[in-house]
DNA sequence: TACAAATAGTTAGTGTGACAAATATATGAA
DNA sequence: TTCATATATTTGTCACACTAACTATTTGTA
């Protein structure tokens, strides 16, 4: 296999990832979800893990701290999340879904799953397992850390 | 396959694509390439196709027009690209690699290929074919879809 | 106790991505 | 010819990614 192909696959990977995000974002918008795709990822993780710190959440969703700070800012402004000062550590916050945030997650969850499903038409479960394996291999090659799943 | 399983791919895909880009960008930076990963993609395509219009180039690299305008602006500022008014159509430009741009592509090409290769360690040709097939299927599943339902 | 080092989070700067709207020019049909 | 429409590119706005630098606290160690 020639080196040129490696570069081509990097291009395909980037192009597909952007398309997946763009498609979901369009559906979010037309459905008036009132959150972006990335904001949704954060909300969903908060609904599954209460009282996370921003650092813990950043590790869960694989976003860096400045990005997470701004996403949390926006979610607070929209009233879905609250920052609660950590009782023992004044540098840190415990993130808390508001009632409105919980309701948002409940309302959107099935709709998001339906949107995500669209990408897998004409593909089966074996494809999915292969895809996951290859993506994780690539990630590990460049990260040097193990990924469990 | 359950819907929850389906939903994981978008996270893994996004995470991996970002890692691939981030790794390459770090290498570009430490090697003092003087261009970003996206700027490189544009330069490389210009070196393979002279006198493209911005619209033609946008279709080649799958970037939208405003994004491309700004990347071209930066490459012009760096002296690697020139906009030449189209002789028959004053709305349009013909994009031209300067001498400096040609030299840059020549110098960087082998280095970029080497960087790209790193992502594909521990994967074989069958994996590449599968990966390409799945990425392209996903892309097509989501491409050209209307927002309304 | 003192103080350097580590940690949590924010701010700033640059680049990119998506989308909408604006500008300038070209084209086609009445 | 003239005017509506199409095309090429730019501008504006918001969101996200990454880096670096910064503030405020906490912790480790002498």
């Amino acid at each position: 296999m020639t080196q040129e192909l490696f570069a081509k696959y990097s291009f395909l990977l980037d192009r597909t990832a952007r398309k997946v995000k763009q498609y979901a974002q369009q559906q979010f918008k037309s459905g008036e979800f009132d959150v972006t795709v990335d904001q949704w990822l954060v909300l969903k993780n908060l609904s599954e893990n209460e009282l996370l710190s921003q650092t813990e959440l950043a590790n869960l969703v694989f976003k860096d701290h400045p990005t997470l700070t701004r996403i949390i800012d926006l979610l607070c402004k929209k009233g879905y999340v609250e920052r609660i000062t950590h009782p023992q550590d004044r540098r840190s916050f415990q993130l808390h879904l508001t009632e409105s945030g919980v309701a948002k997650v409940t309302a959107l969850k099935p709709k998001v799953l339906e949107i995500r499903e669209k990408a897998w038409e004409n593909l089966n479960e074996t494809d999915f397992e292969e895809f996951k394996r290859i993506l994780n291999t690539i990630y590990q090659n460049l990260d040097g850390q193990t990924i469990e799943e």
Side-chain angles (χ1 to χ4, degrees), chain A residues 81-118:
Chain A
V81 174
E82 286 171 343
R83 286 186 171 100
I84 301 174
T85 311
H86 190 288
Q88 272 83 48
D89 187 340
R90 289 192 301 164
R91 294 170 304 178
S92 173
F93 295 112
Q94 292 178 329
L95 298 172
H96 172 70
L97 271 192
T98 63
E99 268 190 49
S100 165
V102 173
K104 178 58 73 173
V105 171
T106 304
L108 292 191
K109 199 162 190 176
K111 297 182 182 181
V112 174
L113 291 177
E114 201 176 325
I115 290 168
R116 291 307 193 184
E117 198 166 359
K118 175 92 179 145

Side-chain angles (χ1 to χ4, degrees), chain A residues 4-16:
Chain A
E4 274 79 9
L5 282 180
F6 292 126
K8 191 174 285 185
Y9 291 149
S10 304
F11 171 73
L12 287 182
L13 176 59
D14 182 65
R15 182 179 81 159
T16 305

Side-chain angles (χ1 to χ4, degrees), chain A residues 4-5 19-20 29 113 122 144:
Chain A
E4 274 79 9
L5 282 180
K19 175 61 77 178
V20 165
K29 184 173 185 182
L113 291 177
N122 310 308

